[in-house]
Amino acid sequence: MARPASWHHGTVRLRTLVPVTAGLGAAAVGYATVIERNWFALRRYDVPVLPPGSAPLRVLHISDAHLTPGRRRLMAWVRSLDELDPHLVINTGDSISHPQSVPCFLDALGPLLDRPGVFVLGSNDMYAPEPHNPARYLTGPSSRWRIRKEPDLPWEKLRDDLTAAGWLDLNNQRGRLTVGGLDIALAGVHDAHVKRDRYERVAGQADPSADLRIGVMHSPEPRLLDRFAADGYDFLLAGHTHGGQLCLPFYGALVTNCGIERERVRGLHRHPADGQAWLHVSAGLGTSPWAPARFACRPEASLLTLTPRESR
Ligand SMILES: [Fe+2]
């Protein structure tokens, strides 16, 4: 019996469409997991935040390496960043994702460890990653998920090894550094995402006599950014968002995984959005081993060249 023409054409279309769609899907997954995930980008920004007349200060911002021992390309790329000759390295956390990763992370930093550096920790430095349905990220920040009680990654070794190399631990602490001839007052908080931030321990006016005041955190939560800005910190740095990690071309991040809005999920902005302080959010170097893909959101580190602000 002859079939209706429309049925026949529909079947042909479906027979073509299914393999083409499946092929495109497989290509996108391959691209996101193999190519873009290892296609590291160096972002460069000038930040006019220094006293008039100061010489430029190069700050290297790294974040969210989520290092596992097999990620040799990531390690080699981080090590190569020493060639940028930064005066100061700022690491905003989620450095490791595996019990054996601390020596690998130190090895990746290599000569950068001999430079002045500061750091805070992120939740992934403390808790080994678990498999999640990625769709959960679309329903709200992962801070609403259950927080495990006992950390199972060697965050103390990470902290101690970085501190032993001379880097400043800014987890709920203040610090002070002189780099490039500039007196810098710093404060940081531990990860708000797992409720370890204790802003009250660093609260109070940042020293107005310092040349620069820097606030450091893992997750750019507006309530923390507000407090740093109100206390007079000129320059705020955070990571955590992965820039959205899986983005839509010409649209950007679908989610930020924290309280900040999509428009400031990555890059250099002001805080408040129309305010005085500068905010840099790093899209990060890595991914959770359980979601090893990036799309329209290359892994990155940032060279932030601090320059004199315009005199008022
Ligand atoms: Fe992260």
Side-chain angles (χ1 to χ4, degrees), residues 11-21:
T11 306
V12 170
R13 259 189 238 120
L14 198 64
R15 278 186 190 152
T16 312
L17 207 59
V18 168
V20 166
T21 307

Side-chain angles (χ1 to χ4, degrees), residues 6 30 58 72 74 88 101 133 159 167 170 176 179 188 210 238 240 252 259 275 286:
S6 59
R58 291 181 298 281
R72 302 203 168 278
L74 192 159
L88 173 65
S101 290
N133 177 354
R159 177 198 62 192
W167 282 22
L170 291 179
R176 196 98 179 194
V179 285
H240 174 72

